[in-house]
């Protein structure tokens, strides 16, 4: 059985009262990961909301990471491509690729929050198809090819991006919140796959990964995002994690309800009673802590890694910024690295 890579993933629920050092955990964690042979650092794209809102542009945070690291992959998890012209995506990430010496990579997402699409409202309805349409354009532009676009005068102009990137091919993943068709589409376009355990468990994931791998063939690469915080004592870690993890889950209530999945019955969180929200969050916390994240001790987390590896996960992206004190998180990275070393053994 092949080894599993580890990376760090960020998607902070921002504390709006914080006046400084919002990016301390990002940069300090990236430095740790860079010197301990982690595979990558992922930062998201989020807009207009405290949940993830300190990351409106992963190319900007990626450039900052490039400046303080030497080896680690710098990836967007994700670029919401329907919000952007493919030229802008290719241009910005080519800059990151140059700044990092060829370490850039992106996962493309369709987006799930309608408010985000004030930036490109015309793309909301067909956003999933826009992702697929943009992939080949981004790939071609990255290779230095020219493409035809309508300019400000209404004429067709042939353009290419500058600066040229370092890597000949841009590593691309597609982000899926669990929709089976997105898994299959990612495989058909020979992209990697980035997914998570909000709204699905490892048993659900196994069949979808199998379908994806059937389509992707040798191009298959599955990244699973999970919440991660490890320590020496199970009970102590549970108490450290409980409050921030529950608050994080409460902030992401739309994801918990699966409102972003095609065909899913939409439940308006605003119509839920407080007791119903509390129940949903508590149930989600128990499931995540017991079986859905790298939470607790290293031996417990290793069982989760082994299950993920068994269903075809190639890389585990550890979401570490879900509300625990920065100093505690950074201190806990040694335990995460211990887990990484154990998981590297075939």
């Amino acid at each position: 059985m092949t080894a599993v890579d580890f990376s760090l993933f960020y998607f902070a629920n921002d504390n709006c009262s914080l006046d400084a050092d919002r990016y301390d955990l990002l940069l300090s964690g990236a430095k740790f990961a860079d010197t301990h042979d982690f595979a990558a650092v992922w930062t998201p794209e989020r807009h207009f909301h405290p949940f993830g809102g300190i990351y409106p542009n992963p190319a900007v945070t990626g450039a900052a990471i490039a400046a303080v690291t030497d080896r680690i992959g710098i990836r967007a998890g994700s670029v919401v491509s329907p919000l952007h012209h493919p030229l802008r995506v290719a241009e910005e990430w080519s800059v990151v690729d140059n700044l990092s010496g060829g370490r850039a990579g992106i996962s493309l997402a369709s987006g799930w929050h309608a408010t985000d699409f004030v930036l490109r409202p015309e793309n909301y309805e067909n956003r999933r198809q826009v992702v697929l349409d943009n992939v080949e354009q981004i790939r071609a532009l990255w290779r230095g090819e020219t493409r035809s676009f309508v300019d400000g005068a209404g004429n067709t102009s042939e353009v290419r991006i500058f600066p040229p990137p370092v890597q000949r091919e841009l590593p691309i993943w597609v982000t899926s919140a669990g929709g089976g068709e997105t898994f299959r589409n990612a495989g058909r376009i020979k992209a990697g796959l980035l997914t998570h355990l909000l709204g699905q468990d490892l048993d659900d994931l196994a069949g979808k990964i199998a379908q994806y791998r059937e389509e992707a063939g040798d191009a298959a690469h599955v990244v699973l995002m999970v919440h991660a915080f490890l320590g020496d004592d199970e009970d102590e870690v549970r108490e450290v994690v409980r409050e921030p993890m529950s608050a994080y889950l409460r902030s992401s209530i739309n994801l918990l309800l699966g409102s972003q999945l095609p065909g899913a019955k939409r439940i308006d969180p605003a119509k839920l009673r407080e007791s119903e929200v509390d129940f949903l969050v508590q149930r989600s916390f128990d499931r995540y802590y017991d079986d859905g994240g790298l939470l607790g001790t290293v031996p417990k987390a290793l069982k989760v890694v082994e299950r993920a590896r068994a269903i075809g996960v190639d890389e585990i992206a550890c979401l570490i910024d879900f509300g625990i004190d920065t100093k505690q998180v950074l201190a806990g990275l040694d335990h995460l690295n211990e887990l990484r070393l154990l998981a590297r053994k075939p």
Side-chain angles (χ1 to χ4, degrees):
M1 190 175 293
T2 58
V4 177
D5 285 325
F6 276 60
S7 54
L8 296 186
F9 197 103
Y10 293 83
F11 206 128
N13 183 30
D14 186 30
N15 180 354
C16 293
S17 65
L18 191 65
D19 293 325
D21 297 328
R22 277 194 168 94
Y23 300 96
D24 180 39
L25 180 54
L26 171 66
L27 298 178
S28 296
K31 292 174 185 177
F32 180 95
D34 189 53
T35 57
H36 289 79
D37 294 325
F38 281 63
V41 177
W42 301 80
T43 56
E45 177 182 348
R46 279 290 283 130
H47 299 281
F48 318 130
H49 196 281
F51 184 64
I54 67 171
Y55 296 110
N57 188 331
V60 173
T61 49
I65 293 167
V68 299
T69 59
D70 297 310
R71 297 180 294 175
I72 200 162
I74 300 170
R75 301 178 188 161
S78 309
V79 171
V80 184
S81 63
L83 301 182
H84 309 286
H85 197 290
L87 278 166
R88 290 293 293 167
V89 175
E91 276 187 335
E92 290 182 353
W93 282 93
S94 181
V95 172
V96 177
D97 204 49
N98 278 270
L99 289 171
S100 64
R103 294 183 280 138
I106 63 174
S107 187
L108 300 177
S110 61
W112 60 277
H113 202 296
T115 304
D116 293 354
F117 282 79
V118 297
L119 297 171
R120 292 290 294 273
E122 68 276 13
N123 282 347
Y124 182 68
E125 184 176 355
N126 297 317
R127 60 194 182 278
R128 294 180 182 86
Q129 184 59 48
V130 172
V131 173
L132 300 178
D133 294 341
N134 282 352
V135 168
E136 287 310 314
Q137 290 194 73
I138 293 169
R139 282 172 166 165
L141 290 164
W142 190 270
R143 296 183 190 120
E145 299 176 18
T146 60
R147 282 292 183 267
S148 300
F149 297 99
V150 177
D151 64 21
N155 301 316
T156 299
S157 293
E158 297 286 329
V159 295
R160 55 179 295 193
I161 66 164
F162 293 94
V166 175
Q167 298 177 95
R168 172 62 179 169
E169 299 288 342
L170 174 64
I172 292 180
W173 290 258
V174 170
T175 302
S176 175
E181 187 61 25
T182 305
F183 276 66
R184 290 187 290 272
N185 285 336
R188 289 171 189 142
I189 63 174
K190 308 304 179 187
L193 179 77
L194 171 63
T195 190
H196 54 65
L197 292 176
L198 286 168
Q200 57 184 346
D201 58 28
L202 289 172
D203 291 334
D204 296 329
L205 203 52
K208 299 173 190 175
I209 288 176
Q211 293 177 355
Y212 160 74
R213 287 191 171 277
E214 184 177 349
E215 296 282 357
D218 293 341
H221 187 267
V222 179
V223 181
L224 177 65
M225 185 277 285
V226 297
H227 294 73
F229 181 76
L230 301 175
D232 292 317
D233 183 270
E234 189 71 32
D235 292 334
E236 288 181 3
V237 173
R238 181 183 283 271
E239 289 313 305
V240 169
V241 166
R242 181 184 300 279
E243 184 177 345
M245 184 72 185
S246 296
Y248 185 95
L249 293 170
R250 187 179 297 273
S251 296
S252 60
I253 195 73
N254 279 305
L255 288 173
L256 292 177
L257 294 173
S259 61
Q260 81 284 12
L261 298 180
K265 181 180 179 181
R266 181 173 177 81
I267 301 173
D268 185 354
K271 295 182 179 179
L272 294 176
R273 294 190 296 269
E274 189 65 23
S275 60
E276 293 174 322
V277 174
D278 290 342
F279 173 77
L280 178 63
V281 169
Q282 182 58 52
R283 186 178 66 177
S284 297
F285 172 79
D286 290 340
R287 179 175 72 84
Y288 273 74
Y289 191 88
D290 293 338
D291 199 39
L294 304 183
L295 302 168
T297 61
V298 170
K300 173 178 176 286
L302 185 58
K303 294 177 182 178
V304 176
V305 174
E306 290 171 345
R307 287 185 61 200
R309 174 163 54 184
I311 66 171
V313 172
D314 299 292
E315 176 182 325
I316 294 181
C318 303
L319 193 156
I320 62 172
D321 64 336
F322 55 93
I324 300 172
D325 177 74
T326 293
K327 291 182 179 179
Q328 284 184 291
V329 175
L330 293 175
L333 291 181
D334 286 324
H335 295 288
L336 196 57
N337 188 52
E338 179 186 349
L339 176 65
R340 182 192 67 82
L341 292 171
L342 290 171
R344 292 295 298 168
K345 298 178 180 178

